PDB file of all heavy atoms in Angstrom:
ATOM      1  N   GLU Y 610     -63.675  86.993  96.916  1.00 51.00           N
ATOM      2  CA  GLU Y 610     -64.212  88.093  96.122  1.00 51.00           C
ATOM      3  C   GLU Y 610     -65.735  88.022  96.054  1.00 51.00           C
ATOM      4  O   GLU Y 610     -66.433  89.025  96.149  1.00 51.00           O
ATOM      5  CB  GLU Y 610     -63.623  88.068  94.706  1.00 51.00           C
ATOM      6  CG  GLU Y 610     -62.179  88.547  94.668  1.00 51.00           C
ATOM      7  CD  GLU Y 610     -61.523  88.272  93.311  1.00 51.00           C
ATOM      8  OE1 GLU Y 610     -62.184  87.644  92.449  1.00 51.00           O
ATOM      9  OE2 GLU Y 610     -60.352  88.649  93.124  1.00 51.00           O
ATOM     10  N   LYS Y 611     -66.251  86.775  95.912  1.00 48.00           N
ATOM     11  CA  LYS Y 611     -67.708  86.600  95.845  1.00 48.00           C
ATOM     12  C   LYS Y 611     -68.372  87.015  97.157  1.00 48.00           C
ATOM     13  O   LYS Y 611     -69.424  87.659  97.170  1.00 48.00           O
ATOM     14  CB  LYS Y 611     -68.044  85.138  95.543  1.00 48.00           C
ATOM     15  CG  LYS Y 611     -67.847  84.752  94.099  1.00 48.00           C
ATOM     16  CD  LYS Y 611     -68.207  83.292  93.871  1.00 48.00           C
ATOM     17  CE  LYS Y 611     -68.001  82.922  92.399  1.00 48.00           C
ATOM     18  NZ  LYS Y 611     -68.285  81.486  92.169  1.00 48.00           N
ATOM     19  N   VAL Y 612     -67.712  86.658  98.262  1.00 47.00           N
ATOM     20  CA  VAL Y 612     -68.239  87.030  99.584  1.00 47.00           C
ATOM     21  C   VAL Y 612     -68.257  88.544  99.736  1.00 47.00           C
ATOM     22  O   VAL Y 612     -69.232  89.150 100.203  1.00 47.00           O
ATOM     23  CB  VAL Y 612     -67.404  86.370 100.708  1.00 47.00           C
ATOM     24  CG1 VAL Y 612     -67.800  86.955 102.074  1.00 47.00           C
ATOM     25  CG2 VAL Y 612     -67.603  84.873 100.707  1.00 47.00           C
ATOM     26  N   GLU Y 613     -67.113  89.175  99.305  1.00 54.00           N
ATOM     27  CA  GLU Y 613     -67.016  90.633  99.411  1.00 54.00           C
ATOM     28  C   GLU Y 613     -68.062  91.314  98.549  1.00 54.00           C
ATOM     29  O   GLU Y 613     -68.701  92.293  98.953  1.00 54.00           O
ATOM     30  CB  GLU Y 613     -65.616  91.097  99.003  1.00 54.00           C
ATOM     31  CG  GLU Y 613     -64.557  90.784 100.059  1.00 54.00           C
ATOM     32  CD  GLU Y 613     -63.152  91.131  99.585  1.00 54.00           C
ATOM     33  OE1 GLU Y 613     -63.021  91.520  98.405  1.00 54.00           O
ATOM     34  OE2 GLU Y 613     -62.208  90.995 100.394  1.00 54.00           O
ATOM     35  N   GLU Y 614     -68.250  90.765  97.312  1.00 50.00           N
ATOM     36  CA  GLU Y 614     -69.249  91.327  96.412  1.00 50.00           C
ATOM     37  C   GLU Y 614     -70.647  91.202  96.995  1.00 50.00           C
ATOM     38  O   GLU Y 614     -71.474  92.104  96.909  1.00 50.00           O
ATOM     39  CB  GLU Y 614     -69.191  90.623  95.050  1.00 50.00           C
ATOM     40  CG  GLU Y 614     -68.009  91.086  94.220  1.00 50.00           C
ATOM     41  CD  GLU Y 614     -67.859  90.261  92.946  1.00 50.00           C
ATOM     42  OE1 GLU Y 614     -68.756  89.454  92.658  1.00 50.00           O
ATOM     43  OE2 GLU Y 614     -66.840  90.426  92.260  1.00 50.00           O
ATOM     44  N   THR Y 615     -70.904  90.053  97.618  1.00 49.00           N
ATOM     45  CA  THR Y 615     -72.204  89.824  98.242  1.00 49.00           C
ATOM     46  C   THR Y 615     -72.425  90.817  99.367  1.00 49.00           C
ATOM     47  O   THR Y 615     -73.497  91.389  99.548  1.00 49.00           O
ATOM     48  CB  THR Y 615     -72.292  88.375  98.800  1.00 49.00           C
ATOM     49  OG1 THR Y 615     -71.979  87.484  97.769  1.00 49.00           O
ATOM     50  CG2 THR Y 615     -73.673  88.079  99.339  1.00 49.00           C
ATOM     51  N   GLY Y 616     -71.342  91.044 100.151  1.00 54.00           N
ATOM     52  CA  GLY Y 616     -71.410  92.013 101.253  1.00 54.00           C
ATOM     53  C   GLY Y 616     -71.676  93.415 100.747  1.00 54.00           C
ATOM     54  O   GLY Y 616     -72.505  94.160 101.296  1.00 54.00           O
ATOM     55  N   LYS Y 617     -71.004  93.815  99.642  1.00 53.00           N
ATOM     56  CA  LYS Y 617     -71.193  95.138  99.054  1.00 53.00           C
ATOM     57  C   LYS Y 617     -72.626  95.295  98.563  1.00 53.00           C
ATOM     58  O   LYS Y 617     -73.258  96.331  98.702  1.00 53.00           O
ATOM     59  CB  LYS Y 617     -70.223  95.359  97.891  1.00 53.00           C
ATOM     60  CG  LYS Y 617     -68.792  95.646  98.337  1.00 53.00           C
ATOM     61  CD  LYS Y 617     -67.887  95.774  97.124  1.00 53.00           C
ATOM     62  CE  LYS Y 617     -66.440  95.976  97.566  1.00 53.00           C
ATOM     63  NZ  LYS Y 617     -65.538  96.035  96.382  1.00 53.00           N
ATOM     64  N   GLY Y 618     -73.136  94.222  97.980  1.00 51.00           N
ATOM     65  CA  GLY Y 618     -74.509  94.234  97.463  1.00 51.00           C
ATOM     66  C   GLY Y 618     -75.517  94.497  98.561  1.00 51.00           C
ATOM     67  O   GLY Y 618     -76.462  95.274  98.403  1.00 51.00           O
ATOM     68  N   LYS Y 619     -75.291  93.835  99.716  1.00 51.00           N
ATOM     69  CA  LYS Y 619     -76.202  94.019 100.846  1.00 51.00           C
ATOM     70  C   LYS Y 619     -76.160  95.463 101.364  1.00 51.00           C
ATOM     71  O   LYS Y 619     -77.172  96.059 101.711  1.00 51.00           O
ATOM     72  CB  LYS Y 619     -75.838  93.050 101.967  1.00 51.00           C
ATOM     73  CG  LYS Y 619     -76.242  91.616 101.666  1.00 51.00           C
ATOM     74  CD  LYS Y 619     -75.816  90.691 102.802  1.00 51.00           C
ATOM     75  CE  LYS Y 619     -76.216  89.250 102.475  1.00 51.00           C
ATOM     76  NZ  LYS Y 619     -75.767  88.311 103.515  1.00 51.00           N
ATOM     77  N   LYS Y 620     -74.915  96.014 101.422  1.00 53.00           N
ATOM     78  CA  LYS Y 620     -74.752  97.395 101.886  1.00 53.00           C
ATOM     79  C   LYS Y 620     -75.479  98.371 100.958  1.00 53.00           C
ATOM     80  O   LYS Y 620     -76.158  99.299 101.385  1.00 53.00           O
ATOM     81  CB  LYS Y 620     -73.279  97.776 101.963  1.00 53.00           C
ATOM     82  CG  LYS Y 620     -72.560  97.167 103.159  1.00 53.00           C
ATOM     83  CD  LYS Y 620     -71.107  97.562 103.152  1.00 53.00           C
ATOM     84  CE  LYS Y 620     -70.365  96.918 104.311  1.00 53.00           C
ATOM     85  NZ  LYS Y 620     -68.916  97.255 104.282  1.00 53.00           N
ATOM     86  N   ASN Y 621     -75.337  98.137  99.627  1.00 52.00           N
ATOM     87  CA  ASN Y 621     -75.976  99.016  98.640  1.00 52.00           C
ATOM     88  C   ASN Y 621     -77.492  98.995  98.767  1.00 52.00           C
ATOM     89  O   ASN Y 621     -78.167 100.012  98.637  1.00 52.00           O
ATOM     90  CB  ASN Y 621     -75.572  98.619  97.220  1.00 52.00           C
ATOM     91  CG  ASN Y 621     -74.103  98.929  96.951  1.00 52.00           C
ATOM     92  OD1 ASN Y 621     -73.542  99.827  97.590  1.00 52.00           O
ATOM     93  ND2 ASN Y 621     -73.486  98.211  96.020  1.00 52.00           N
ATOM     94  N   LYS Y 622     -78.013  97.781  99.034  1.00 50.00           N
ATOM     95  CA  LYS Y 622     -79.464  97.635  99.184  1.00 50.00           C
ATOM     96  C   LYS Y 622     -79.963  98.427 100.380  1.00 50.00           C
ATOM     97  O   LYS Y 622     -81.017  99.053 100.357  1.00 50.00           O
ATOM     98  CB  LYS Y 622     -79.836  96.155  99.349  1.00 50.00           C
ATOM     99  CG  LYS Y 622     -79.809  95.388  98.045  1.00 50.00           C
ATOM    100  CD  LYS Y 622     -80.159  93.928  98.262  1.00 50.00           C
ATOM    101  CE  LYS Y 622     -80.065  93.155  96.953  1.00 50.00           C
ATOM    102  NZ  LYS Y 622     -80.340  91.727  97.144  1.00 50.00           N
ATOM    103  N   LYS Y 623     -79.175  98.392 101.477  1.00 50.00           N
ATOM    104  CA  LYS Y 623     -79.543  99.131 102.689  1.00 50.00           C
ATOM    105  C   LYS Y 623     -79.557 100.632 102.419  1.00 50.00           C
ATOM    106  O   LYS Y 623     -80.449 101.380 102.865  1.00 50.00           O
ATOM    107  CB  LYS Y 623     -78.561  98.823 103.818  1.00 50.00           C
ATOM    108  CG  LYS Y 623     -78.760  97.437 104.424  1.00 50.00           C
ATOM    109  CD  LYS Y 623     -77.738  97.181 105.523  1.00 50.00           C
ATOM    110  CE  LYS Y 623     -77.916  95.756 106.081  1.00 50.00           C
ATOM    111  NZ  LYS Y 623     -76.888  95.457 107.120  1.00 50.00           N
ATOM    112  N   VAL Y 624     -78.558 101.098 101.657  1.00 46.00           N
ATOM    113  CA  VAL Y 624     -78.473 102.532 101.309  1.00 46.00           C
ATOM    114  C   VAL Y 624     -79.689 102.958 100.505  1.00 46.00           C
ATOM    115  O   VAL Y 624     -80.296 104.002 100.733  1.00 46.00           O
ATOM    116  CB  VAL Y 624     -77.170 102.823 100.541  1.00 46.00           C
ATOM    117  CG1 VAL Y 624     -77.167 104.234  99.982  1.00 46.00           C
ATOM    118  CG2 VAL Y 624     -75.976 102.603 101.453  1.00 46.00           C
ATOM    119  N   VAL Y 625     -80.053 102.097  99.513  1.00 44.00           N
ATOM    120  CA  VAL Y 625     -81.207 102.399  98.653  1.00 44.00           C
ATOM    121  C   VAL Y 625     -82.482 102.491  99.478  1.00 44.00           C
ATOM    122  O   VAL Y 625     -83.309 103.386  99.297  1.00 44.00           O
ATOM    123  CB  VAL Y 625     -81.350 101.320  97.552  1.00 44.00           C
ATOM    124  CG1 VAL Y 625     -82.666 101.471  96.810  1.00 44.00           C
ATOM    125  CG2 VAL Y 625     -80.188 101.409  96.590  1.00 44.00           C
ATOM    126  N   LYS Y 626     -82.642 101.571 100.425  1.00 48.00           N
ATOM    127  CA  LYS Y 626     -83.829 101.563 101.282  1.00 48.00           C
ATOM    128  C   LYS Y 626     -83.930 102.843 102.103  1.00 48.00           C
ATOM    129  O   LYS Y 626     -84.992 103.421 102.281  1.00 48.00           O
ATOM    130  CB  LYS Y 626     -83.801 100.351 102.202  1.00 48.00           C
ATOM    131  CG  LYS Y 626     -84.212  99.070 101.512  1.00 48.00           C
ATOM    132  CD  LYS Y 626     -84.190  97.895 102.488  1.00 48.00           C
ATOM    133  CE  LYS Y 626     -84.585  96.599 101.765  1.00 48.00           C
ATOM    134  NZ  LYS Y 626     -84.536  95.427 102.664  1.00 48.00           N
ATOM    135  N   LYS Y 627     -82.772 103.284 102.658  1.00 49.00           N
ATOM    136  CA  LYS Y 627     -82.751 104.498 103.463  1.00 49.00           C
ATOM    137  C   LYS Y 627     -83.169 105.716 102.634  1.00 49.00           C
ATOM    138  O   LYS Y 627     -83.910 106.600 103.074  1.00 49.00           O
ATOM    139  CB  LYS Y 627     -81.358 104.726 104.045  1.00 49.00           C
ATOM    140  CG  LYS Y 627     -81.066 103.832 105.242  1.00 49.00           C
ATOM    141  CD  LYS Y 627     -79.677 104.111 105.792  1.00 49.00           C
ATOM    142  CE  LYS Y 627     -79.379 103.198 106.982  1.00 49.00           C
ATOM    143  NZ  LYS Y 627     -78.010 103.434 107.515  1.00 49.00           N
ATOM    144  N   LYS Y 628     -82.663 105.765 101.385  1.00 47.00           N
ATOM    145  CA  LYS Y 628     -82.997 106.894 100.500  1.00 47.00           C
ATOM    146  C   LYS Y 628     -84.484 106.916 100.204  1.00 47.00           C
ATOM    147  O   LYS Y 628     -85.120 107.959 100.136  1.00 47.00           O
ATOM    148  CB  LYS Y 628     -82.186 106.798  99.197  1.00 47.00           C
ATOM    149  CG  LYS Y 628     -80.735 107.222  99.370  1.00 47.00           C
ATOM    150  CD  LYS Y 628     -79.991 107.153  98.036  1.00 47.00           C
ATOM    151  CE  LYS Y 628     -78.542 107.632  98.210  1.00 47.00           C
ATOM    152  NZ  LYS Y 628     -77.794 107.542  96.938  1.00 47.00           N
ATOM    153  N   ASN Y 629     -85.022 105.694  99.950  1.00 48.00           N
ATOM    154  CA  ASN Y 629     -86.448 105.589  99.645  1.00 48.00           C
ATOM    155  C   ASN Y 629     -87.303 106.086 100.806  1.00 48.00           C
ATOM    156  O   ASN Y 629     -88.368 106.689 100.611  1.00 48.00           O
ATOM    157  CB  ASN Y 629     -86.837 104.163  99.309  1.00 48.00           C
ATOM    158  CG  ASN Y 629     -86.277 103.754  97.945  1.00 48.00           C
ATOM    159  OD1 ASN Y 629     -85.991 104.623  97.110  1.00 48.00           O
ATOM    160  ND2 ASN Y 629     -86.119 102.463  97.713  1.00 48.00           N
TER     161      ASN Y 629
END
Side-chain angles (χ1 to χ4, degrees):
E610 285 169 356
K611 283 180 180 177
V612 170
E613 286 175 355
E614 284 173 8
T615 306
K617 284 177 183 177
K619 286 178 181 177
K620 285 179 182 178
N621 291 334
K622 283 179 183 177
K623 286 179 182 178
V624 171
V625 170
K626 282 181 181 178
K627 283 181 181 179
K628 284 182 178 179
N629 289 337

